[in-house]
Amino acid sequence: DSGVTQTPKHLITATGQRVTLRCSPRSGDLSVYWYQQSLDQGLQFLIHYYNGEERAKGNILERFSAQQFPDLHSELNLSSLELGDSALYFCASSAEDTLMGEAFFGQGTRLTVV
Amino acid sequence: AQKITQTQPGMFVQEKEAVTLDCTYDTSDQSYGLFWYKQPSSGEMIFLIYQGSYDEQNATEGRYSLNFQKARKSANLVISASQLGDSAMYFCAMKNRGSTLGRLYFGRGTQLTVWP
């Protein structure tokens, strides 16, 4: 158990809908990262939050947004969903943003858009 | 741009044998970290091993070791005494002092199958 909790584990929704994925980082970790894993794109970095502030954006679509709350949990909001958004979405947390600090991943949320 | 290349889409190894999973990386930074993660069929990402660019010794963690050749920019994962439970997807990843220090750049992965 990595200590990172993601909910829900599975999500099936229709095109055009909006969903929210939730992540609780390991106790004490200030950094939260979101990644998307799909067959064609592999593992893609979406966004990074540190102690409530956005630090960096990667390949995140404008239809997607995220935030990190004062209790450090994070939510990834996906709207106007398309079939191509079907993927495994990971949240990862780390205690420090150094070269050494490994990221601990949650179990992922498998999103299926139908 | 940072890039991780894993040239082996799939590898097969017999139980109890050793296997090497290849990884090459590309970065212009002198300071970087290299990681290997395991993803079983259940989907979670499990951290295996870390190597820093300034580490002179190859990293080892139990049956996992990282064969780090800095001049060749390679960071191959060696699994000794393979077990059936090692069957999984393995990802090589890198951090550097880019726009986001903590961000990981991943390769496309190698699917390892261990057969009895």
Side-chain angles (χ1 to χ4, degrees):
Chain A
D1 183 3
S2 67
V4 178
T5 304
Q6 285 188 251
T7 56
K9 290 189 75 172
H10 302 276
L11 198 49
I12 301 175
T13 190
T15 54
Q17 295 298 305
R18 173 190 169 93
V19 297
T20 297
L21 313 184
R22 183 188 169 101
C23 168
S24 295
R26 288 191 321 156
S27 177
D29 284 0
L30 300 179
S31 270
V32 169
Y33 305 84
W34 286 96
Y35 291 87
Q36 178 195 57
Q37 185 179 29
S38 61
L39 281 173
D40 53 344
Q41 297 289 327
L43 273 154
Q44 298 283 315
F45 166 71
L46 295 178
I47 197 163
H48 170 210
Y49 275 85
Y50 179 84
N51 201 20
E53 291 189 6
E54 181 185 303
R55 274 282 179 92
K57 277 186 174 180
N59 301 323
I60 187 166
L61 300 171
E62 287 194 10
R63 301 184 284 109
F64 296 0
S65 65
Q67 52 185 326
Q68 186 180 27
F69 295 87
D71 67 352
L72 300 178
H73 91 271
S74 178
E75 291 180 358
L76 180 67
N77 300 295
L78 316 176
S79 62
S80 303
L81 285 167
E82 302 174 358
L83 296 177
D85 297 328
S86 295
L88 186 55
Y89 291 84
F90 282 108
C91 161
S93 76
S94 65
E96 52 189 31
D97 293 336
T98 66
L99 289 175
M100 288 183 59
E102 70 264 32
F104 292 88
F105 282 76
Q107 301 256 6
T109 294
R110 187 168 296 279
L111 173 67
T112 303
V113 182
V114 298
Chain B
Q2 285 63 235
K3 189 176 179 183
I4 298 285
T5 303
Q6 295 180 254
T7 56
Q8 307 154 315
M11 288 285 286
F12 294 84
V13 64
Q14 189 169 24
E15 200 176 8
K16 299 179 186 175
E17 298 294 311
V19 63
T20 298
L21 307 183
D22 293 342
C23 172
T24 58
Y25 59 92
D26 187 21
T27 180
S28 56
D29 286 358
Q30 296 301 308
S31 297
Y32 50 88
L34 297 159
F35 300 78
W36 278 90
Y37 282 84
K38 172 184 178 181
Q39 186 178 37
S41 57
S42 51
E44 71 268 32
M45 295 284 284
I46 302 166
F47 165 74
L48 295 178
I49 195 166
Y50 162 83
Q51 178 85 41
S53 60
Y54 293 115
D55 294 341
E56 294 185 355
Q57 303 262 3
N58 286 339
T60 60
E61 290 285 349
R63 295 185 298 109
Y64 303 108
S65 60
L66 199 152
N67 184 0
F68 181 47
Q69 299 188 44
K70 194 170 182 176
R72 293 186 177 184
K73 292 190 174 179
S74 81
N76 298 339
L77 177 70
V78 181
I79 305 175
S80 62
S82 297
Q83 301 172 357
L84 295 178
D86 293 334
S87 293
M89 184 73 92
Y90 288 80
F91 291 95
C92 180
M94 177 175 67
K95 279 190 200 179
N96 64 359
R97 295 192 182 280
S99 58
T100 293
L101 180 56
R103 167 191 176 170
L104 286 163
Y105 296 86
F106 285 92
R108 294 305 297 255
T110 295
Q111 179 69 48
L112 176 67
T113 302
V114 181
W115 51 284

